[in-house]
Amino acid sequence: MTATTEPLREHAGDRPAGGRSAGTRSIGLSSTIASEWIKLRSVRSTWIILFLAVALSIGLAAMFSFVEGLTLGDQSSIDPLSSSIIGMQFGSILLMVFSALAVTSEYESRTIRTSVSVTPDRWRLLTGKMVTVSAIGLILSLIMVLGMFFASQIINTAYGAPSAALGDEGVNRFLIVSIVVGGLMYTVIPLSIGFLLRGTASAVTISVGIFLIPRMIASLLPTWVQENVLGYLPDKAIYSLSGIIAPSDIYYASQAPAIIAIIAWIVGAFVIAGIVFNRRDA
Amino acid sequence: MIKAEQLSKKYGDKLAVDQLTFEVKPGIVTGFLGPNGAGKSTTMRMILGIDNPSGGRVTVNGKSYRDLAAPIQEIGALLDASAVHVGRSAWHHLNWQAKAAGLATRRVDEVLELVGLNDVAGRKVGGFSLGMYQRLGIASALLGDPPALILDEPVNGLDPEGIRWVRSLFRRFADEGRTVFVSSHLMSEMELTADHVLVIGRGKLIADMPIAEITQRSNLNHVKVVAPQAAQLALLLESAGASISQSVEHELIVSGITAPAIGEIAVQHGIVLHELAPRRASLEAAFMELTHDSVDYRAAS
Ligand SMILES: Nc1ncnc2c1ncn2[C@@H]1O[C@H](COP(=O)(O)OP(=O)(O)O)[C@@H](O)[C@H]1O
Ligand SMILES: [Mg+2]
């Protein structure tokens, strides 16, 4: 490794504002997004996590339908949509890990300081990360949800169990909500929490907790809470909107409030992360 | 041009930077010197908009860093060379910065060439040596071809050849009319690199002067005098305002007066001198003297 000692090129003193020779193009949100995309695609962990998310979610959905088909005598009790979304249990956790890591890995390697030096407009940095991570989340969600859906339906059909097809009553709504709302919620919330907590372990734990804990402890809570609060938490709101939770269910939130709750979670997470990130030392 | 006015930073109760006012001028290498824990890194983070000042302000070319439209093209920085993602290649590490700053990708190859890392551009940074990390950090600082550079302890971890290279790089930058601001906790390093030094201790500015002046001002400068009539000479010198710090047989250690002045006093009174030797404090000693009262023993070194 020999260092170059030749002159730096034609240069300097006559160049008060500087940097023009470095080949500037205009800098904006698209530059930040391009940069964030390079950060994500240039580390192997991104590809491993995304691959595992797809493989495990589709694999689990297929396995679940397979076991259901084998073991259930009365196959008409199978709900073809619920059994296909089951794989999202894994898929969503991996998507949350991916999203939290997009920022916590920067705090843990301290590259966040370089990031804010290059892009001192912290709202733009946050927005660039959000857009990039949630775009990947949406694409991944599309692959996972459709993959799980078709895998389940093929297996259900093979067992002569009830199956669903595109265009059936409620199916398109189920698919669109699962893809779009899931893709956004599983990325925006963990990424925001990552900005707030700055550590991978804590951000992943809290994010997963927000989605899973209400589900696990729901039946222990007072009825009033079950009826009026749980339905607006991210997990249940997605399922009410996609139709997995029926209107008769105690956790059901009707459409408009569910949509408002989801928007409030996404916007709220983004804004709180932005305010804290802007004020705090990086 | 970097300008700090009453710049302060508090971390909880700890005052890390205490009302610093200084200017870093273009065309010279300015050293930023102080013992560990003095507040050098904190000051640099505030210059770069990473940490927010608790009081006062600091500007780069007249603007707060966070208001610069194309910051890394106005000032390039190396704060912490190990702040890289170990699983990313050197090339990608620079490329994400280039993209974010709207710079052409060819600039990445140019700076890698400049720091001598072009052969390992595709290798993961995790396998780099300390010196390679440092070179990568310098590459990142040079990415925007900025008219100002700010580097925190840049020679740490470099081999002697690397250190010489870095010094000549700073010199060249300063000669090109750029601003170069380099921190170190070692005076010996500054002696070889800087034209001007800012010395801080416990967050406070202790000295802001050309490097040559530091030793001139030191109280450690003294004159050794050997004379058979030492006792008589001592009295004469004291009445001329000098102070005698040591007197052993025929030997005196005198400060507060120059050697020529001592010689003239001796001649006037017919005193024979066997030796008259000015002793200049070393830079290291002058620095220790300057910072003696402000070494932060609580800080980890
Ligand atoms: N993020 C931080 N939180 C709390 N204290 C800090 C922080 N950064 C620096 N300090 C403290 O501020 C003082 C100055 O530190 P620093 O700027 O790193 O000094 P230097 O770079 O001169 O060695 C030290 O006492 C250090 O412990
Ligand atoms: Mg330091």
Side-chain angles (χ1 to χ4, degrees), chain A residues 80-102:
Chain A
L81 293 185
S82 318
S83 62
S84 85
I85 201 73
I86 197 93
M88 208 58 188
Q89 304 264 358
F90 269 125
S92 65
I93 291 175
L94 285 161
L95 205 48
M96 289 192 256
V97 171
F98 161 75
S99 306
L101 264 178

Side-chain angles (χ1 to χ4, degrees), chain A residues 1-28 31-32 34-36 38-45 105-106 109-111 113-122 124 277-282, chain B residues 9 11 45 48-52 61 65-66 68-74 80 82-85 87-89 92-93 95-97 99-107 110 113-117 124 132 135 140 143-147 161 165 168 172-173 176-178:
Chain A
M1 197 170 59
T2 0
T4 329
T5 38
E6 82 229 13
L8 272 176
R9 289 192 322 253
E10 83 296 346
H11 222 282
D14 50 5
R15 211 188 36 136
R20 305 299 163 247
S21 61
T24 326
R25 305 188 195 116
S26 67
I27 308 171
S31 321
T32 311
S35 165
E36 292 302 324
I38 294 171
K39 282 182 194 167
L40 291 170
R41 73 177 165 80
S42 61
V43 292
R44 193 182 296 159
S45 59
S105 70
E106 287 223 45
S109 63
R110 299 185 309 287
T111 54
R113 288 178 168 173
T114 311
S115 294
V116 302
S117 310
V118 180
T119 308
D121 180 343
R122 298 199 187 175
R124 191 172 83 209
F277 182 47
N278 236 295
R279 290 207 180 144
R280 206 159 48 184
D281 294 341
Chain B
K9 180 68 183 179
Y11 292 111
R45 285 198 301 276
L48 296 169
I50 294 168
D51 283 15
N52 303 307
N61 299 331
Y65 188 91
R66 285 173 77 163
L68 296 172
I72 67 165
Q73 292 166 68
E74 303 231 18
D80 176 359
S82 66
V84 288
H85 191 302
R88 193 175 280 131
S89 72
H92 279 122
H93 173 70
N95 194 32
W96 72 252
Q97 297 174 52
K99 275 285 178 312
L103 300 172
T105 302
R106 71 170 160 79
R107 205 39 213 159
E110 284 174 15
E113 176 93 38
L114 194 68
V115 302
L117 286 179
K124 282 185 186 161
M132 289 159 87
R135 285 168 187 267
S140 208
L143 199 58
D145 193 17
E161 197 247 274
W165 167 69
S168 68
R172 184 147 37 96
F173 264 62
E176 286 171 353
R178 309 196 209 208

Side-chain angles (χ1 to χ4, degrees), chain A residues 43-60:
Chain A
V43 292
R44 193 182 296 159
S45 59
T46 296
W47 299 106
I48 294 174
I49 293 170
L50 297 183
F51 171 79
L52 282 178
V54 171
L56 289 178
S57 59
I58 298 174
L60 191 72

Side-chain angles (χ1 to χ4, degrees), chain B residues 209-273:
Chain B
M209 57 179 77
I211 193 126
E213 247 175 64
I214 289 203
T215 50
Q216 279 165 22
R217 299 224 185 149
S218 173
N219 291 321
L220 298 175
N221 293 335
H222 60 262
V223 183
K224 181 183 165 197
V225 186
V226 179
Q229 295 161 273
Q232 190 192 339
L233 180 61
L235 289 174
L236 290 165
L237 292 176
E238 270 173 344
S239 61
S243 57
I244 313 294
S245 56
Q246 205 180 312
S247 166
V248 183
E249 291 193 44
H250 300 319
E251 184 182 317
L252 300 173
I253 301 294
V254 188
S255 56
I257 188 166
T258 64
I262 297 174
E264 278 168 27
I265 290 174
V267 166
Q268 279 163 24
H269 295 84
I271 294 172
V272 174
L273 296 184

Side-chain angles (χ1 to χ4, degrees), chain B residues 11 14 16 35-43 45 51 152 296 299:
Chain B
Y11 292 111
K14 166 96 198 170
N36 279 319
K40 304 179 296 294
S41 302
T42 303
T43 303
R45 285 198 301 276
D51 283 15
D152 198 5
D296 189 348

Side-chain angles (χ1 to χ4, degrees), chain B:
Chain B
M1 167 88 104
I2 302 163
K3 192 169 178 182
E5 293 162 285
Q6 303 286 308
L7 185 66
S8 300
K9 180 68 183 179
K10 260 187 153 165
Y11 292 111
D13 286 343
K14 166 96 198 170
L15 194 54
V17 172
D18 191 359
Q19 308 215 350
L20 286 188
T21 299
F22 61 80
E23 274 182 28
V24 183
K25 297 188 181 70
I28 55 171
V29 177
T30 303
F32 193 29
L33 188 62
N36 279 319
K40 304 179 296 294
S41 302
T42 303
T43 303
M44 290 186 157
R45 285 198 301 276
M46 289 193 284
I47 295 172
L48 296 169
I50 294 168
D51 283 15
N52 303 307
S54 316
R57 65 187 235 117
V58 59
T59 56
V60 175
N61 299 331
K63 283 185 179 168
S64 272
Y65 188 91
R66 285 173 77 163
D67 294 333
L68 296 172
I72 67 165
Q73 292 166 68
E74 303 231 18
I75 182 166
L78 164 61
L79 290 196
D80 176 359
S82 66
V84 288
H85 191 302
V86 291
R88 193 175 280 131
S89 72
W91 195 86
H92 279 122
H93 173 70
L94 294 171
N95 194 32
W96 72 252
Q97 297 174 52
K99 275 285 178 312
L103 300 172
T105 302
R106 71 170 160 79
R107 205 39 213 159
V108 172
D109 300 309
E110 284 174 15
V111 292
L112 280 169
E113 176 93 38
L114 194 68
V115 302
L117 286 179
N118 40 333
D119 291 343
V120 293
R123 289 236 304 262
K124 282 185 186 161
V125 173
F128 279 18
S129 68
L130 224 50
M132 289 159 87
Y133 271 101
Q134 213 70 17
R135 285 168 187 267
L136 182 59
I138 290 170
S140 208
L142 300 181
L143 199 58
D145 193 17
L149 279 179
I150 161 171
L151 306 105
D152 198 5
E153 312 258 359
V155 303
N156 279 6
L158 283 179
D159 52 20
E161 197 247 274
I163 294 177
R164 271 197 307 280
W165 167 69
V166 166
R167 283 187 196 134
S168 68
L169 186 79
F170 297 162
R171 180 54 49 208
R172 184 147 37 96
F173 264 62
D175 291 346
E176 286 171 353
R178 309 196 209 208
T179 305
V180 183
F181 191 39
V182 189
S183 82
S184 175
H185 63 282
L186 298 173
M187 181 50 124
S188 51
E189 179 51 39
M190 291 287 106
E191 195 174 351
L192 293 162
T193 317
D195 305 300
H196 191 97
V197 280
L198 300 175
V199 182
I200 65 167
R202 282 205 190 147
K204 284 197 172 67
L205 193 66
I206 298 175
D208 178 351
M209 57 179 77
I211 193 126
E213 247 175 64
I214 289 203
T215 50
Q216 279 165 22
R217 299 224 185 149
S218 173
N219 291 321
L220 298 175
N221 293 335
H222 60 262
V223 183
K224 181 183 165 197
V225 186
V226 179
Q229 295 161 273
Q232 190 192 339
L233 180 61
L235 289 174
L236 290 165
L237 292 176
E238 270 173 344
S239 61
S243 57
I244 313 294
S245 56
Q246 205 180 312
S247 166
V248 183
E249 291 193 44
H250 300 319
E251 184 182 317
L252 300 173
I253 301 294
V254 188
S255 56
I257 188 166
T258 64
I262 297 174
E264 278 168 27
I265 290 174
V267 166
Q268 279 163 24
H269 295 84
I271 294 172
V272 174
L273 296 184
H274 289 176
E275 199 174 323
L276 179 63
R279 297 282 158 85
R280 171 139 295 175
S282 71
L283 269 174
E284 199 67 48
F287 169 57
M288 296 303 270
E289 183 194 11
L290 273 173
T291 56
H292 181 264
D293 298 330
S294 55
V295 174
D296 189 348
Y297 292 104
R298 283 165 299 167
S301 57

